[in-house]
Amino acid sequence: MKSSARHQVRFATGLFVFVGLVALTGCGFTSIGDGLPDDIDCTSCHGSEGNPAPPVSVSGTDETSTLGVGAHRAHLDDGEFRRAVSCNECHVVPRGVDDEGHVDPLPAELTWGGLATANGSAPVWDRDDAVCSNVYCHGATLSGGSNTEPVWTRVGEGQADCGTCHGNPPPAPHPDFDECNLCHEGTVEADGSINLEGGLHINGNVDVPGLTCGSCHGSGENAAPPVSLSGSSETSDIGVGAHQSHVRDGKLRKAVACTECHVLPDQVNSDGHIDPPPAEVRFGPLAGTGGLEPEWDRGSEACSNTWCHGASLAGGGNKAPVWTEVGTGQTACGTCHGSPPPAPHPQVDECHSCHSGTVRVDGSIDVAAGRHIDGVKDVPSGTCSACHGNQENAAPPVSLSGSFDTGDIEVGAHQSHLKDGTLRKAVACDECHVVPVSLEDDGHMDGSPAEVVFGDLASTGGLEGEWNRDSGVCGNVYCHGASLAGGGITQPIWNLVGAGQAACGTCHGFPPPQPHPALDQCWLCHPGTVKANGEIDVAGGLHINGVKDVPGGACNDCHGSDANPAPPKSLSGSFNTADTEVGAHQAHLNDGQFSKAMACSECHEIPDTLLAAGHMDAAPAEVEFGVLATTGGLKPIWSRETNICTNVYCHGASLTGGSLTNPDWTKAGQGQVNCGTCHGMPPAS
């Protein structure tokens, strides 16, 4: 068909009245038939032989400056940068001439395909300005392009040259070199031309078939700068800085993984990888050890609050080193933590003694072992005495400050308690402190001074011990006699060792005051506690054990005599009947002229044991009259002030004619109980 004839067919009705006449195969250039000539196809109405895209446009023009022609052929023919684009990347391609949307009113509709919308692009066509914008094909998702919105009708003006869709090279974080084939070998030839046959340029992907991290930044040794993405090798540049100090083994630690400061992408176009610089710093688990929240300040070029540089340790000289001041000693020993750390860490610098798996004998870090700056305080062979105390026990000296002086409060009387002495076996550490199971237990190394938490022994009997660090005094503790009587120093000064503060008689009287018997032969009642020579039986373990141990005591061990338990001798040691504590006890407890011996229970409540309530809780002994004294319903009365019992049956209170029914207790043997003193002789009628 000649050109004039084609135009006559194309415009015969003005609006393509071919509806229902022709079925086409989507610009496949093969007619299906329907009674029309076999050579009728897409090019019968627009385009030219072999390609349905204008020119010629449906209006018959072939000028690229017109909208109907424009850059159609620049897209539908193979070019310098890409093979031909399919028609359906910009239009819906009909299968038949009467398909909906094909020959409806002009202009032709643009419906974007997969390539134009790749990577989330949302293309827009502005017919007035003849411009496509936000399309993948012209670099909407790339950076650095000089003309990502070319004008459709300005064909041949260099709008699609290299560098118009993306920088040549793209700006950082893309590496700053233009040998594109090094990373994109399947896309770009060695001479810089595009490999059209490969089909990888402008295909919706960033194709980097053999790329490694070191292809763009870093070197053959590792992926960290230098070289930076800007091409710099200077550590004073923030893009380089201390990268190599971290990713290579050093004097203090093995190499740190890149993931401790950055998110590593799975591939080159992963989210967040090659988005606008600078690279994001996202700290990993090492930097945040112990719940820290590290921070990176690009302005000051410093990391802060990171575990790696000692944020949770004590005494470090530089916990926020400047990233770009490499080689200035910012990470020397002592910058992250004291060397040694301050107390409560022991003040010794032989680190290997406690950290044998971390520090060598010569003081150097065992980098190969990997235990330094690993998120754990490694003390593999440590015992309590590795930090304080000595080979004998864990208590100072030596103190954490390195002191041996008992005048120092950190040393004080530790050894006086932790070693067997003349008065008691060694006291357990947990009587004054919470003993940790491991080095890292809460409350162990959280700060000085060590907390004093009194244990069961100190609290015997419900006492609540008190520690005053300022005065160095323990108060209200059982161990020093707070619940006993007569002690001369029940609140000894902790750091006044060797001054006799724990001698016999400092915790309780020697002997204790009444109601304790006034004799110093302690072994008589406390044979398991005190030896016959007066020494404490330390090995027996009964002295200062929370219990008053009187295993074999009888009543007359403390008062009375071999004959009976009634005085003499009294608890005060008296044998004088004129003393109230002695008085007429024996006159009642022995058979006499007028009555057989009375039971003790006629005047006192007899305790079941030495420690029964009311027995030794106070002096003088209580008088509680029994059955005989109260015969006939009498209610006797004892007056200690007058030493007289009144209204008692035993002395004739219910009888008549007695001359002395209220005898004086302290006048034993003076005829107060002669015949006729209790009742008349004979009694009155």
Side-chain angles (χ1 to χ4, degrees):
M1 182 181 289
K2 295 182 179 179
S3 176
S4 60
R6 289 174 60 203
H7 289 176
Q8 289 173 4
V9 172
R10 187 175 294 169
F11 298 104
T13 64
L15 288 176
F16 313 111
V17 188
F18 277 94
V19 178
L21 298 179
V22 181
L24 304 176
T25 59
C27 295
F29 312 117
T30 301
S31 174
I32 297 178
D34 288 343
L36 294 176
D38 290 340
D39 60 353
I40 296 295
D41 57 22
C42 298
T43 61
S44 300
C45 298
H46 44 70
S48 59
E49 187 173 352
N51 193 320
V56 176
S57 70
V58 292
S59 63
T61 181
D62 58 7
E63 295 295 328
T64 58
S65 58
T66 63
L67 280 172
V69 178
H72 271 109
R73 295 312 278 263
H75 290 74
L76 270 290
D77 291 334
D78 290 348
E80 185 179 356
F81 300 108
R82 194 190 187 285
R83 300 200 65 172
V85 178
S86 300
C87 297
N88 60 8
E89 283 298 336
C90 301
H91 303 288
V92 174
V93 177
R95 295 187 59 81
V97 71
D98 60 345
D99 278 3
E100 185 177 352
H102 180 214
V103 293
D104 54 7
L106 294 174
E109 296 177 10
L110 270 71
T111 53
W112 307 104
L115 185 63
T117 59
N119 292 334
S121 298
V124 176
W125 161 247
D126 186 334
R127 184 176 177 84
D128 293 335
D129 293 334
V131 169
C132 289
S133 61
N134 205 36
V135 291
Y136 165 82
C137 329
H138 286 283
T141 61
L142 306 176
S143 56
S146 61
N147 188 7
T148 57
E149 298 181 358
V151 179
W152 173 255
T153 54
R154 292 174 58 184
V155 182
E157 298 184 22
Q159 294 188 107
D161 288 347
C162 191
T164 56
C165 297
H166 55 73
N168 185 24
H174 191 283
D176 189 23
F177 53 85
D178 54 12
E179 295 173 313
C180 309
N181 62 295
L182 295 180
C183 298
H184 307 282
E185 60 182 357
T187 305
V188 185
E189 304 285 6
D191 61 3
S193 62
I194 301 300
N195 181 357
L196 293 180
E197 294 299 324
L200 300 182
H201 195 225
I202 317 178
N203 68 341
N205 296 313
V206 179
D207 292 291
V208 195
L211 189 65
T212 64
C213 300
S215 302
C216 298
H217 44 73
S219 62
E221 182 179 4
N222 57 54
V227 174
S228 72
L229 293 178
S230 64
S232 175
S233 299
E234 296 296 326
T235 57
S236 57
D237 289 341
I238 200 167
V240 179
H243 272 109
Q244 289 300 315
S245 300
H246 288 74
V247 298
R248 290 190 300 185
D249 290 354
K251 290 183 179 180
L252 301 180
R253 192 191 187 281
K254 289 181 71 69
V256 178
C258 298
T259 52
E260 285 298 335
C261 300
H262 303 288
V263 174
L264 288 192
D266 295 327
Q267 53 188 2
V268 71
N269 59 346
S270 292
D271 287 344
H273 180 215
I274 53 174
D275 53 8
E280 295 179 14
V281 174
R282 298 183 186 178
F283 292 103
L286 182 64
T289 297
L292 293 173
E293 296 183 359
E295 297 179 1
W296 159 248
D297 186 335
R298 188 175 177 86
S300 63
E301 301 181 351
C303 291
S304 61
N305 204 37
T306 60
W307 188 88
C308 330
H309 286 284
S312 61
L313 305 178
N318 187 5
K319 297 175 182 294
V322 178
W323 173 254
T324 53
E325 293 183 5
V326 181
T328 59
Q330 295 188 106
T331 56
C333 191
T335 55
C336 297
H337 55 75
S339 179
H345 190 283
Q347 295 305 291
V348 291
D349 53 12
E350 296 175 339
C351 310
H352 62 90
S353 62
C354 296
H355 308 281
S356 57
T358 305
V359 186
R360 300 188 181 98
V361 175
D362 63 3
S364 62
I365 301 298
D366 188 351
V367 172
R371 290 184 175 177
H372 195 223
I373 318 178
D374 65 342
V376 179
K377 292 176 185 173
D378 294 292
V379 190
S381 59
T383 62
C384 299
S385 57
C387 296
H388 43 72
N390 51 50
Q391 296 303 314
E392 186 175 2
N393 58 53
V398 175
S399 73
L400 293 177
S401 63
S403 176
F404 287 82
D405 187 355
T406 57
D408 290 343
I409 202 160
E410 293 181 16
V411 179
H414 272 110
Q415 289 301 316
S416 300
H417 289 73
L418 269 288
K419 290 193 297 186
D420 290 353
T422 56
L423 300 180
R424 192 191 187 280
K425 291 180 69 70
V427 178
C429 297
D430 59 9
E431 283 298 336
C432 299
H433 303 288
V434 174
V435 177
V437 176
S438 66
L439 181 71
E440 299 295 318
D441 280 3
D442 288 344
H444 181 214
M445 292 185 65
D446 51 4
S448 295
E451 296 178 14
V452 174
V453 181
F454 291 108
D456 294 339
L457 184 63
S459 306
T460 297
L463 294 173
E464 295 183 0
E466 298 175 358
W467 161 246
N468 187 320
R469 186 178 175 85
D470 294 333
S471 63
V473 169
C474 285
N476 204 37
V477 291
Y478 164 83
C479 330
H480 286 282
S483 60
L484 304 177
I489 306 176
T490 58
Q491 296 188 12
I493 298 174
W494 171 255
N495 52 349
L496 195 61
V497 181
Q501 295 186 106
C504 193
T506 55
C507 298
H508 55 75
F510 182 63
Q514 290 189 38
H516 190 284
L519 69 165
D520 55 12
Q521 296 170 302
C522 309
W523 67 89
L524 295 178
C525 297
H526 308 282
T529 305
V530 186
K531 298 176 182 177
N533 63 1
E535 295 177 357
I536 300 298
D537 186 355
V538 173
L542 300 182
H543 195 224
I544 316 177
N545 67 343
V547 178
K548 293 176 182 174
D549 293 291
V550 191
C555 298
N556 55 5
D557 286 339
C558 296
H559 43 74
S561 62
D562 291 341
N564 58 53
K569 159 179 166 179
S570 73
L571 294 178
S572 63
S574 175
F575 288 84
N576 188 354
T577 57
D579 290 341
T580 302
E581 293 181 19
V582 180
H585 271 107
Q586 290 300 317
H588 289 73
L589 270 287
N590 290 314
D591 291 348
Q593 280 183 287
F594 302 104
S595 173
K596 289 184 68 67
M598 291 186 183
C600 297
S601 57
E602 283 298 335
C603 297
H604 303 287
E605 183 176 349
I606 307 302
D608 295 328
T609 64
L610 177 71
L611 301 181
H615 181 213
M616 291 184 64
D617 51 4
E622 296 179 11
V623 175
E624 297 186 12
F625 292 103
V627 176
L628 183 62
T630 59
T631 297
L634 293 174
K635 294 182 178 179
I637 297 173
W638 159 251
S639 171
R640 188 175 178 85
E641 287 75 17
T642 62
N643 293 318
I644 290 176
C645 288
T646 58
N647 206 35
V648 292
Y649 167 83
C650 325
H651 286 282
S654 61
L655 304 177
T656 60
S659 62
L660 186 57
T661 57
N662 298 316
D664 188 326
W665 171 258
T666 57
K667 293 180 178 181
Q670 298 182 25
Q672 294 188 105
V673 290
N674 288 333
C675 192
T677 55
C678 296
H679 54 77
M681 187 177 168
S685 57

